[in-house]
């Protein structure tokens, strides 16, 4: 890990995933004048970002253009090769050579689809012994595959509350909120004490990385609500955010395409949304061994806040409408399975999981037959 207090040591940060969330947070941590260089792995929007950078229309920071230090079309293109590239470039065009000594931070902002791909294996070519892996992804259980593959690398888990969308390739609009919560990941809350003891050193490294990231986003990026937490606190926040993701995202698909605020105008859907949130609110403390802290919004407050989130579509609905796989496992399947291991049933989440899993499979089977 590089030092943010040493201007002679560059900090090289790579975002894997150049969607709305990735581009927004990358744009707030790229500061070449402070020796902080942020690059992107982009796919469908690679050409647009390479030629013009990312145009951001934000409620919090106004309109501006983010020109990454480098833009890569693939993981393999971003993998360190040992060729020198630690000197800042005076050429405004993005470069395409990874840093010689590897990435300090690899920040994953792609959708978590463990039923479709092994994301930890995907990023393996990028990871060096000094790399910290940061996971800005929705849902539960996203960290464990990375810990299994990279037992000696620090991992920082992150939960965001941001409403942002990519309205066309290379153009991102931030509608509301900026908060990002960070916490180190050791070996999971249910791990035996022997495993926890073995992970102590890597957790301490994770704390240092977390503190540095928070400092960079706050001091240079101007984000005022970057929060740092312990592992238990961060996993508690993950369960809390599930109140939003597991309620509004599946319901948006099953209700015929209604956004968060629109769902709440329907009395029956409003009861349904509250029922899902209350199920999570009751189950999570039994799984975590502690209640939700009073600082976290209750289901009623979450609903009141989302009544104002007019016009935006949940990510699961956007994926469904575009024919892409949905994050069913991390938002619905994993929470149900984690709860069952703790002796807790979550029938509402299990029903949503069963229905959407079946709908997705039926559509994919239908498409496969049409190709024959």
């Amino acid at each position: 890990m590089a030092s943010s207090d040493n201007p002679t040591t560059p900090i090289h940060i790579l975002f894997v995933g150049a969607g709305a969330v990735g581009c927004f947070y990358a744009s707030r941590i790229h500061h070449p004048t402070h020796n902080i260089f942020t690059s992107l792995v982009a796919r469908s929007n690679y050409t647009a970002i390479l030629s013009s950078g990312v145009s951001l229309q934000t409620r919090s920071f106004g309109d501006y253009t983010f020109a990454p230090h480098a833009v890569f079309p693939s993981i393999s293109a971003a993998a360190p090769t040992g060729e020198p590239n630690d000197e800042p470039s005076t050429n405004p065009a993005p470069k395409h050579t990874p840093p010689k000594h590897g990435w300090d931070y690899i920040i994953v902002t792609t959708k978590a689809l463990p039923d479709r791909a092994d994301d930890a294996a995907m990023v393996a070519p990028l990871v060096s012994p000094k790399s910290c892996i940061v996971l800005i992804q929705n849902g539960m259980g996203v960290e464990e595959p990375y810990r299994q593959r990279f037992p000696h690398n620090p991992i920082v888990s992150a939960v965001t509350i941001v409403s942002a969308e990519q309205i066309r390739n290379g153009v991102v609009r931030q509608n509301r909120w900026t908060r990002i919560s960070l916490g180190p990941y050791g070996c999971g809350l249910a791990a035996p004490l022997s495993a926890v003891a073995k992970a102590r050193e890597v957790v301490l490294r994770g704390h240092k990385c977390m503190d540095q990231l928070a400092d960079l986003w706050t001091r240079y990026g101007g984000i005022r609500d970057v929060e740092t937490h312990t592992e238990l606190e961060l996993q508690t926040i993950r369960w809390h955010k599930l109140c939003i993701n597991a309620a509004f995202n599946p319901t948006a698909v099953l209700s015929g395409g209604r956004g968060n605020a629109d769902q709440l105008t329907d009395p029956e859907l409003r009861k349904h949304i509250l029922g899902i949130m209350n199920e999570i609110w009751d189950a999570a403390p039994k799984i975590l061994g502690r209640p939700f802290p009073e600082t976290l919004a209750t289901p009623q407050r979450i609903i009141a806040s989302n009544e104002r989130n007019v016009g935006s579509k949940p990510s699961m609905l956007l994926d469904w409408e575009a024919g892409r796989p949905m994050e069913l496992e991390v938002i619905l399947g994993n929470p149900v399975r984690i709860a069952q291991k703790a002796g807790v049933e979550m029938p509402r989440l299990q029903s949503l999981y069963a229905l959407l899993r079946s709908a997705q499979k039926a559509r994919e089977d239908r498409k496969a037959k049409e190709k024959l």
Side-chain angles (χ1 to χ4, degrees), residues 14 16 41 43 72-80 121-126:
L14 179 67
V16 179
V41 173
R43 292 176 181 168
F72 303 99
S74 64
I75 294 287
S76 59
M122 175 189 72
V123 304
L126 304 170

Side-chain angles (χ1 to χ4, degrees), residues 260-342:
N260 294 15
D262 188 29
Q263 291 173 37
L264 295 172
T265 64
D266 183 298
E268 293 302 320
L269 284 179
R270 192 182 183 96
K271 284 185 199 173
H272 160 77
I273 292 292
L274 186 59
I276 295 168
M277 291 184 181
N278 283 333
E279 179 173 276
I280 297 166
W281 195 264
D282 292 339
K286 299 173 186 174
I287 298 162
L288 295 165
R290 56 172 277 176
F292 282 120
E294 293 181 1
T295 53
L296 295 179
T298 63
Q300 289 78 9
R301 284 176 57 198
I302 296 171
I303 284 177
S305 177
N306 275 272
E307 286 177 320
R308 301 190 296 271
N309 193 19
V310 177
S312 64
K313 290 184 176 182
S315 59
M316 192 176 284
L317 175 59
L318 293 173
D319 289 336
W320 174 258
E321 290 178 342
R324 297 187 295 260
M326 297 178 288
E327 292 182 296
L328 299 181
E329 298 305 324
V330 296
I331 291 177
L332 297 171
N334 281 357
V336 168
R337 289 185 284 269
I338 292 169
Q340 287 174 339
K341 285 182 181 179

Side-chain angles (χ1 to χ4, degrees), residues 2 9 17 42 47 79 94 123 133-134 162 180 202 205 236 241 245 254 294 310 314 344:
T9 306
T47 301
V123 304
I133 301 163
V134 184
V162 61
I180 182 166
V202 77
R205 290 175 62 199
T236 302
K241 191 183 177 186
N245 288 335
L254 294 172
E294 293 181 1
V310 177
V344 179

Side-chain angles (χ1 to χ4, degrees), residues 49-88:
I49 295 176
L50 180 65
S51 65
S52 306
V54 182
S55 176
L56 289 111
Q57 305 166 9
T58 78
R59 177 172 177 168
S60 303
F61 303 101
D63 296 351
Y64 60 96
T65 298
F66 162 47
H69 181 62
V71 188
F72 303 99
S74 64
I75 294 287
S76 59
T81 61
E83 296 299 320
N85 180 32
D86 277 346
E87 293 301 319

